[in-house]
Amino acid sequence: YQALDEEHADALKNAPSEVHFYRKAKAICIGIDYVGTDVERKLQCAQTDAREVAQRFESEYGFESSLLLETQATKEAISTAIDDAAKELDETDALIIYFAGHGATVTHGNPDNNHQMQSGFIVPYVKKGLKLTETDITQWQDHAIDMSELSDRLERYDVHHTLLILDCCFSGFAGQRSGFESMPLYEQLLKSPAVMVMTAGRRDDPVLEHPKFGHGLFTYALLSELRNDPLISTTQLFVAVQEEVSALQQDHLLPGKRMTPLLRRIGKGEGEFVFLPKSIDDGELANEMRAAWERTQASGFKFVAETELFTAQQAGNQYLDATNNPEFHKEQWQLRFIRFMDNATLNDPLA
């Protein structure tokens, strides 16, 4: 507790003197069910997902939301919408791009000399000529959106905070896994630039819809966590969404169908997008952020630190050696083990 109090005091001492709030926040929400296309597996919830996410962003957080649904969501239209939005924004603004639809993994290269590689693609609306079983990489490059290229593009924009949310299969191609540290002040997250990607699954994960919810599981969890317009950081939202997705899969899906949401950071910025409810008056935002951060500290969730690994190893060795008071060391080690396992389910890398 003393260590936590000292860390708490250090964070407050190093708080920025001025708080960076967004001048403008835009959201582009894309949903494709692929009706009338050659895509073999039609979806049922993608358009609904995009509509409700856009509505939530607009009504609860005051974003300028735009929708691209079904035939509107061609490769060219998606690219143009993102470029146009980025041109209207600058280092004081924020951009969120949400996509619900299909993703695909394509293996290409020469199998004879072991130079094969895999690329991940977002599948836009293509009326004819593109199937999920297509193996010709040039077809994908011509008609689909390369996830890695999209991530690289977002990093080049002069936007203070960018968040890409992908509710599609194989969306883990859109970045590299990032680690987390203990929760900084919201003021610190807002001050530093950032490009982040929240994906519904890992590279090889299919992403799932369930008729009971009328949404993709990931989006159902996302909307659930944004209910009642919380003031929340991207990492906090991700942790809550991942917990709910895990619980939903356990309760409602067949064995073997698993998806593990991931949060990834692109580039060097250490900030994060922070969801700031429009129900809070501008003059009260700074106070509300500090109060929300205090509640987070009191909740007790912390990512595992390197020093804890050493302490846990010592406790385990003492328990195994049965020296001194073995029952105390056994209890200490078991508590550490439970904490590490819980954190590991939330993608805490050291855990």
Side-chain angles (χ1 to χ4, degrees):
Y1 286 110
Q2 182 180 352
L4 286 174
D5 288 342
E6 289 173 356
E7 184 176 315
H8 187 151
D10 286 343
L12 293 174
K13 184 174 63 178
N14 295 322
S17 56
E18 295 184 10
V19 181
H20 175 111
F21 294 120
Y22 306 123
R23 179 183 65 90
K24 185 186 294 185
K26 283 181 171 289
I28 301 169
C29 298
I30 305 156
I32 313 173
D33 290 323
Y34 303 95
V35 176
T37 72
D38 288 341
V39 170
E40 302 91 326
R41 187 166 71 87
K42 308 301 189 270
L43 299 176
Q44 298 178 338
C45 306
Q47 290 187 73
T48 301
D49 287 347
R51 283 194 190 95
E52 293 201 23
V53 168
Q55 191 275 332
R56 185 68 53 86
F57 285 166
E58 194 167 321
S59 64
E60 306 295 343
Y61 295 97
F63 296 179
E64 295 180 19
S65 295
S66 58
L67 277 169
L68 291 174
L69 302 176
E70 209 63 3
T71 57
Q72 301 168 330
T74 63
K75 178 179 180 178
E76 293 75 16
I78 293 171
S79 180
T80 299
I82 294 172
D83 282 341
D84 287 350
K87 288 174 184 175
E88 295 180 29
L89 303 174
D90 60 26
E91 289 91 345
T92 62
D93 301 324
L95 173 64
I96 292 186
I97 302 158
Y98 167 89
F99 176 84
H102 275 309
T105 300
V106 183
T107 302
H108 54 100
N110 189 340
D112 296 331
N113 57 11
N114 295 321
H115 282 173
Q116 282 191 307
M117 59 183 294
Q118 288 186 319
S119 297
F121 291 89
I122 291 171
V123 183
Y125 188 92
V126 181
K127 190 167 183 64
K128 295 292 179 184
L130 187 65
K131 297 183 178 182
L132 297 179
T133 52
E134 176 63 61
T135 56
D136 184 353
I137 187 63
T138 59
Q139 289 292 316
W140 287 101
Q141 291 168 339
D142 290 343
H143 298 295
I145 299 169
D146 186 301
M147 292 186 192
S148 295
E149 289 182 8
L150 175 60
S151 298
D152 293 342
R153 227 167 96 203
L154 296 180
E155 191 180 357
R156 293 194 293 269
Y157 291 139
D158 293 324
V159 179
H160 188 63
H161 283 169
T162 302
L163 175 60
L164 175 62
I165 303 174
L166 297 176
D167 190 354
C168 63
C169 295
F170 315 115
S171 50
F173 277 94
Q176 298 302 314
R177 178 182 301 212
S178 62
F180 308 107
E181 297 178 359
S182 57
M183 177 67 187
L185 291 167
Y186 290 108
E187 297 97 303
Q188 291 169 324
L189 295 177
L190 285 166
K191 181 180 179 181
S192 181
V195 180
M196 300 186 79
V197 184
M198 189 186 301
T199 67
R202 299 168 298 185
R203 282 193 173 202
D204 300 319
D205 286 357
V207 174
L208 306 163
E209 296 180 322
H210 197 288
K212 176 177 179 179
F213 307 115
H215 292 286
L217 256 69
F218 174 80
T219 296
Y220 178 84
L222 180 73
L223 290 169
S224 176
E225 296 304 329
L226 289 177
R227 191 182 298 121
N228 302 321
D229 61 319
L231 193 161
I232 194 169
S233 73
T234 299
T235 294
Q236 289 175 306
L237 177 62
F238 164 74
V239 168
V241 167
Q242 194 181 51
E243 282 185 310
E244 182 155 356
V245 166
S246 179
L248 289 171
Q249 290 182 108
Q250 188 171 351
D251 293 341
H252 299 285
L253 295 180
L254 296 173
K257 292 186 175 182
R258 303 296 296 176
M259 51 187 270
T260 303
L262 295 177
L263 182 64
R264 303 167 184 273
R265 184 180 297 278
I266 302 170
K268 299 178 181 178
E270 294 300 321
E272 282 188 22
F273 184 87
V274 179
F275 290 82
L276 301 171
K278 71 176 188 179
S279 59
I280 303 174
D281 292 336
D282 290 348
E284 291 299 315
L285 263 176
N287 291 333
E288 287 293 329
M289 286 195 306
R290 183 59 56 82
W293 183 80
E294 296 280 0
R295 290 193 294 272
T296 298
Q297 302 308 297
S299 71
F301 179 81
K302 278 178 63 66
F303 291 96
V304 170
E306 288 191 30
T307 52
E308 284 189 90
L309 298 183
F310 178 71
T311 304
Q313 185 180 35
Q314 282 187 313
N317 289 339
Q318 290 167 340
Y319 165 49
L320 292 173
D321 291 341
T323 57
N324 301 326
N325 185 340
E327 287 307 310
F328 169 78
H329 297 302
K330 177 181 179 181
E331 180 182 345
Q332 186 185 49
W333 170 246
Q334 287 175 333
L335 289 173
R336 294 280 184 184
F337 179 78
I338 291 168
R339 168 164 153 64
F340 285 13
M341 290 295 287
D342 286 345
N343 276 31
T345 65
L346 301 177
N347 266 5
D348 182 343
L350 290 183

